[in-house]
């Protein structure tokens, strides 16, 4: 038996006033109950019960131990009741980590309807372009773009999109439109510096096959949102995720460049969360809400999901 079972047996013996009645309540053999109490006393090194042929009574230490057992068992029951509530109704504080770029482009508009649908959840959003440690930092869900390095985490792909090359019309009017990937060497190409890695190796395909071009420019930043704003402002040519820039592409604020030289630059956007045997309802409903909402957005933008 476990220690909790020891407590259950002891408390039931005291409440029942005899081993026989306690055994009946616990559906055990009376001799098994007697042995259990004896083993408990031996483990503790004290006598908990005074035994006579007519009745059982608590010793002084036994009474103190009994009262503590009642408190402990009540706490366990309350903890289990609270846990069962969480398994039935999404509630509690949900900690979400996301890049500023993705939050402003997609996520922030999703939060009010989510909280309206699940009023017992409060959401705390942490905006960072760094890859946080979910367990150490107490994050329930992180939104990540691109390859996932930590195989110990659970993931749910929300959407998939392409990385494309684009620029604002004001930049192209001033410096011209690149016709081939090699022309990029004569242009100001803006780069994202993420996790100490500069993403300035851009892949293309031409008659000679697939190759990479190392681009250069006068602006490098560690924020995807800042990079995007710089591209929109006409600062130079940049590489963006199509689904996150589709509205500006459609409106003409951005021009999609070098389409005929593109390779399969698909990138996944994932909800990532710590592996658990039982996924917390607040996490499950949030991930499912995002997946459904993003799917609807992709349909409205006429962009394939895969």
């Amino acid at each position: 038996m476990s220690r909790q079972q020891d407590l259950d047996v002891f408390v039931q013996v005291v409440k029942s006033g005899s081993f026989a009645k306690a055994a009946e309540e616990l559906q055990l053999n009376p001799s098994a109950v007697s042995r259990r109490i004896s083993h408990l006393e031996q483990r503790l090194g004290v006598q908990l019960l005074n035994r006579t042929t007519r009745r059982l009574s608590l010793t002084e230490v036994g009474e103190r131990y009994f009262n503590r057992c009642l408190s402990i068992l009540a706490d366990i029951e309350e903890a289990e009741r609270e846990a069962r509530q969480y398994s039935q109704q999404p509630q509690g504080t949900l900690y979400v980590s996301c890049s500023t770029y993705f939050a402003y482009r997609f996520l922030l508009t999703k939060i009010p309807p989510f909280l309206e649908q699940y009023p017992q959840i409060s959401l705390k959003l942490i905006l960072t372009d760094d890859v946080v440690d979910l367990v150490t930092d107490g994050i329930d869900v992180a939104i990540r773009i691109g390859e996932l390095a930590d195989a110990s985490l659970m993931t749910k792909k929300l959407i998939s999109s392409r990385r494309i090359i684009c620029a604002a019309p004001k930049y192209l009017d001033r410096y011209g439109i690149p016709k081939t990937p090699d022309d990029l060497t004569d242009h100001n190409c803006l780069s994202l510096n993420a996790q100490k890695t500069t993403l300035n190796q851009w892949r293309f395909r031409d008659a000679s096959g697939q190759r990479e071009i190392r681009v250069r420019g006068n602006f490098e930043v560690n924020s995807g949102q800042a990079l995007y704003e710089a591209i929109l402002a006409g600062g130079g040519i940049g590489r963006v995720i199509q689904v996150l820039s589709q509205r500006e592409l459609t409106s003409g604020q951005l021009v999609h460049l070098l389409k005929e030289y593109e390779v399969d630059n698909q990138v996944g956007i994932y909800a990532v969360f710590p592996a658990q045997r039982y996924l917390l309802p607040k996490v499950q409903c949030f991930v499912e809400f995002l997946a459904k909402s993003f799917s609807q957005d992709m349909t409205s933008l006429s962009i394939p999901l895969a």
Side-chain angles (χ1 to χ4, degrees):
M1 284 189 175
S2 68
R3 288 192 176 186
Q4 183 184 336
Q5 289 172 316
D6 283 346
L7 300 188
D8 288 332
V9 170
F10 173 66
V11 168
Q12 189 59 56
V13 167
V14 176
K15 288 182 174 180
S16 301
S18 75
F19 291 133
K21 289 181 180 179
E24 185 178 346
E25 289 290 333
L26 297 169
Q27 298 184 338
L28 295 173
N29 188 292
S31 61
V33 172
S34 179
R35 286 196 302 272
R36 191 71 255 155
I37 297 299
S38 296
H39 291 159
L40 177 61
E41 290 178 324
Q42 289 173 11
R43 179 164 60 80
L44 296 176
V46 296
Q47 183 177 340
L48 300 173
L49 295 168
N50 293 312
R51 301 163 175 80
T52 68
T53 56
R54 301 182 63 181
R55 62 188 293 269
L56 295 174
S57 64
L58 287 166
T59 64
E60 182 181 354
V61 66
E63 185 172 358
R64 294 175 62 184
Y65 186 72
F66 174 70
N67 290 329
R68 291 295 299 273
C69 288
L70 288 177
S71 177
I72 291 169
L73 292 173
D75 286 343
I76 292 173
E77 184 178 351
E78 177 63 25
E80 290 182 348
R81 182 164 53 249
E82 183 178 339
R84 283 193 293 270
Q85 278 186 327
Y86 272 83
S87 71
Q88 297 166 0
Q89 176 65 38
Q91 58 183 286
T93 302
L94 181 69
Y95 291 87
V96 178
S97 171
C98 179
S99 71
T100 305
Y101 178 37
F102 188 84
Y104 276 90
R105 304 305 300 172
F106 249 92
L107 183 62
L108 290 177
T109 58
K110 314 297 180 192
I111 292 176
F114 170 76
L115 294 177
E116 184 176 352
Q117 185 171 336
Y118 298 98
Q120 295 187 50
I121 292 178
S122 62
L123 192 150
K124 293 193 176 182
L125 181 62
I126 297 93
L127 297 182
T128 175
D129 286 330
D130 293 333
V131 178
V132 299
D133 185 312
L134 272 63
V135 176
T136 301
D137 295 333
I139 302 298
D140 294 306
V141 182
I143 309 300
R144 292 186 178 167
I145 301 173
E147 296 182 3
L148 302 175
D150 192 343
S152 68
L153 299 174
M154 298 181 68
T155 64
K156 169 73 173 179
K157 181 181 278 190
L158 301 174
I159 49 178
S160 183
S161 188
R162 296 183 303 154
R163 283 195 171 102
I164 62 173
I165 309 300
C166 65
K170 63 178 69 175
Y171 173 86
L172 299 175
D173 290 342
R174 185 173 182 181
Y175 297 103
I177 299 175
K179 303 299 184 183
T180 70
D182 290 322
D183 293 342
L184 291 175
T185 58
D186 297 324
H187 282 270
N188 193 41
C189 296
L190 313 184
S191 298
L192 177 66
N193 186 312
Q195 297 297 304
K196 299 180 182 180
T197 300
T198 302
L199 304 179
N200 59 2
Q201 297 285 123
W202 296 356
R203 289 187 301 159
F204 298 96
R205 180 179 55 242
D206 57 21
S208 62
Q210 191 174 130
R211 61 196 181 99
E212 288 187 344
I213 291 182
R214 185 179 181 86
V215 298
R216 292 178 175 81
N218 62 7
F219 184 67
E220 180 181 302
V221 66
N222 65 347
S223 164
Q225 178 66 19
L227 177 68
Y228 193 73
E229 295 296 335
I231 298 169
L232 278 175
I237 296 174
R239 190 171 64 159
V240 302
I241 296 174
Q242 183 178 5
V243 67
L244 302 182
S245 55
Q246 188 60 39
R247 289 185 176 86
E248 286 75 17
L249 291 165
T250 302
S251 67
Q253 292 176 268
L254 288 177
V255 178
H256 188 172
L257 304 172
L258 302 172
K259 294 181 182 180
E260 60 271 36
Y261 296 96
E262 288 178 345
V263 297
D264 184 15
N265 279 317
Q266 288 288 333
V267 58
I269 300 175
Y270 302 86
V272 183
F273 37 96
Q276 299 178 15
R277 184 177 179 185
Y278 300 105
L279 190 61
L280 292 175
K282 64 180 181 180
V283 173
Q284 184 173 353
C285 70
F286 182 65
V287 171
E288 291 176 352
F289 182 91
L290 290 185
K292 181 179 180 181
S293 181
F294 290 155
S295 174
Q296 293 171 345
D297 285 345
M298 295 288 275
T299 300
S300 67
L301 291 171
S302 301
I303 300 175
L305 280 171

